[in-house]
Amino acid sequence: MAQLLAVLLALGAVATLNVQVPEQPVVALFGQDVTLNCSFDPTGPFNLSDLSVFWQLTDTMRSVHGFWSGRNQLAEQAEGFANRTSLFLSQLGSGNASLLLRNVHIADEGAFTCFVRLNTYSSAALVLQVAAPYTKPHVTVTPEANLRPGDEVSLTCVAYGGFPEAQVLWQDGDGRNLTDNVITSQVANEEGLFSMRSILTVEAEPSSTYSCRLRNLVLGEETHTSVTIIGLSSAFPPVALWVTVGLAVCLLALLIALAIVCHRKIKESCKEADMAEEGKELDEESKTAMTQLKDTEKS
Ligand SMILES: *[C@@H]1O[C@H](CO)[C@@H](O)[C@H](O)[C@H]1NC(C)=O
Ligand SMILES: *[C@@H]1O[C@H](CO)[C@@H](O)[C@H](O)[C@H]1NC(C)=O
Ligand SMILES: *[C@@H]1O[C@H](CO)[C@@H](O)[C@H](O)[C@H]1NC(C)=O
Ligand SMILES: *[C@@H]1O[C@H](CO)[C@@H](O)[C@H](O)[C@H]1NC(C)=O
Ligand SMILES: *[C@@H]1O[C@H](CO)[C@@H](O)[C@H](O)[C@H]1NC(C)=O
């Protein structure tokens, strides 16, 4: 029992390496450098050649950066990290095993484990979150001109080069959320940065304002662009106006001609009908006369 306690105490004593990393995800901007903090408590001064530091990808255990026997060990370094990592060698002696990662890629996002060995060993993992700001959204309206109230209008909002995927929101002039008739797509380029395209379809109304709002949740950034559809009714173009007037005049002439022809036809057919009626009446009368004649013969 006493022996077991001694072993536990010994374990407790050696576990005081106390490796520490940030608990919150470390946010890095795409293309920038980031320091992944990792610190440990050396119980006293030590010989650097007794220290080992390994930075690994937590999930795949692939090597990001190694240090032992008093120097960097990069033979096993995963390809994607070549020439992009370093430790702060002058600070290792004081318990700073932080990793400098240069030119951050989207693919770097994920968990990193910091292993430290000095007689005993300990480790801790942190999460790296990569972010990139979107360009200010740009909104185009189609069709651009000749709009009349009730016409279908497409508003297209685009923004580029962001990460992670953006939250897109359309609002009307009163700040109401528009979620119907919205189609949004986000496509990543070979670097992993997203292009966002969102199309809102509305019925044209005079002087209506729409805004496309974009939010990057990691950066806590929001940008927006508004467009106003103006002067719908007065936007009747001269060419279309004359064509319409011309067509209307033609149609009117046609209708008048048609009316005259119809009127004549109706008159003619009325005459015919009258004559037919008269003929029938004559027949009826003669029949009655005949029966009357027969009746008188009988009696
Ligand atoms: C890294 O550590 C330094 C010194 O303790 C601190 O000032 C800095 O905020 C830390 N950075 C992160 C991302 O935790
Ligand atoms: C480690 O040293 C680097 C370079 O001086 C510094 O930026 C970083 O904040 C240090 N990290 C800690 C945890 O002290
Ligand atoms: C550190 O360790 C190396 C190898 O064990 C040894 O050659 C060197 O003298 C040591 N240095 C100190 C300051 O103890
Ligand atoms: C890393 O740097 C070395 C020397 O400057 C160079 O030869 C090598 O091509 C670089 N590797 C990458 C992946 O950039
Ligand atoms: C609009 O949607 C956003 C995001 O979904 C939400 O935060 C906000 O409260 C909504 N606003 C209204 C007026 O519904």
Side-chain angles (χ1 to χ4, degrees), residues 134 162 164-168 184-188 194-197 214:
Y134 282 88
E165 279 191 57
Q167 257 198 356
V168 188
T184 301
S185 61
Q186 313 210 32
V187 179
F194 285 105
S195 289
M196 187 289 304
R197 180 186 196 84
L214 211 69

Side-chain angles (χ1 to χ4, degrees), residues 30 35 51 59 75 83 90 95 97 124 126 157 167 171 177 224 228 239-240 249 266 276 292 294 299:
F30 174 83
T35 299
L51 173 74
D59 298 337
N83 295 348
S90 63
L126 60 79
C157 177
Q167 257 198 356
Q171 286 181 335
N177 288 344
H224 76 276
T228 301
V239 175
V249 167
I266 287 166
Q292 271 169 357
K294 275 180 195 167
S299 57

Side-chain angles (χ1 to χ4, degrees), residues 73-91:
Q73 309 280 352
L74 302 174
E76 284 169 29
Q77 184 179 48
E79 241 177 74
F81 294 101
N83 295 348
R84 292 204 294 134
T85 61
S86 50
L87 300 175
F88 301 99
L89 296 183
S90 63
Q91 309 220 11

Side-chain angles (χ1 to χ4, degrees), residues 198-221:
S198 182
I199 302 172
L200 168 71
T201 309
V202 293
E203 269 186 17
E205 288 170 38
S207 291
S208 43
T209 298
Y210 299 94
S211 51
C212 173
R213 296 188 167 274
L214 211 69
R215 215 187 283 168
N216 186 323
L217 288 182
V218 172
L219 293 176
E221 271 184 0

Side-chain angles (χ1 to χ4, degrees), residues 4-18 43 120:
L4 185 62
L5 206 66
V7 170
L8 283 176
L9 280 174
L11 279 175
V14 294
T16 55
L17 207 44
N18 192 24
T43 40
T120 182

Side-chain angles (χ1 to χ4, degrees), residues 36-40 51 53 55 87-88 91-92 95-99 114-116:
L36 304 181
N37 273 344
C38 176
S39 61
F40 61 97
L51 173 74
V53 174
W55 277 92
L87 300 175
F88 301 99
Q91 309 220 11
L92 279 176
N96 182 346
S98 302
L99 179 80
C114 171
F115 279 97
V116 179

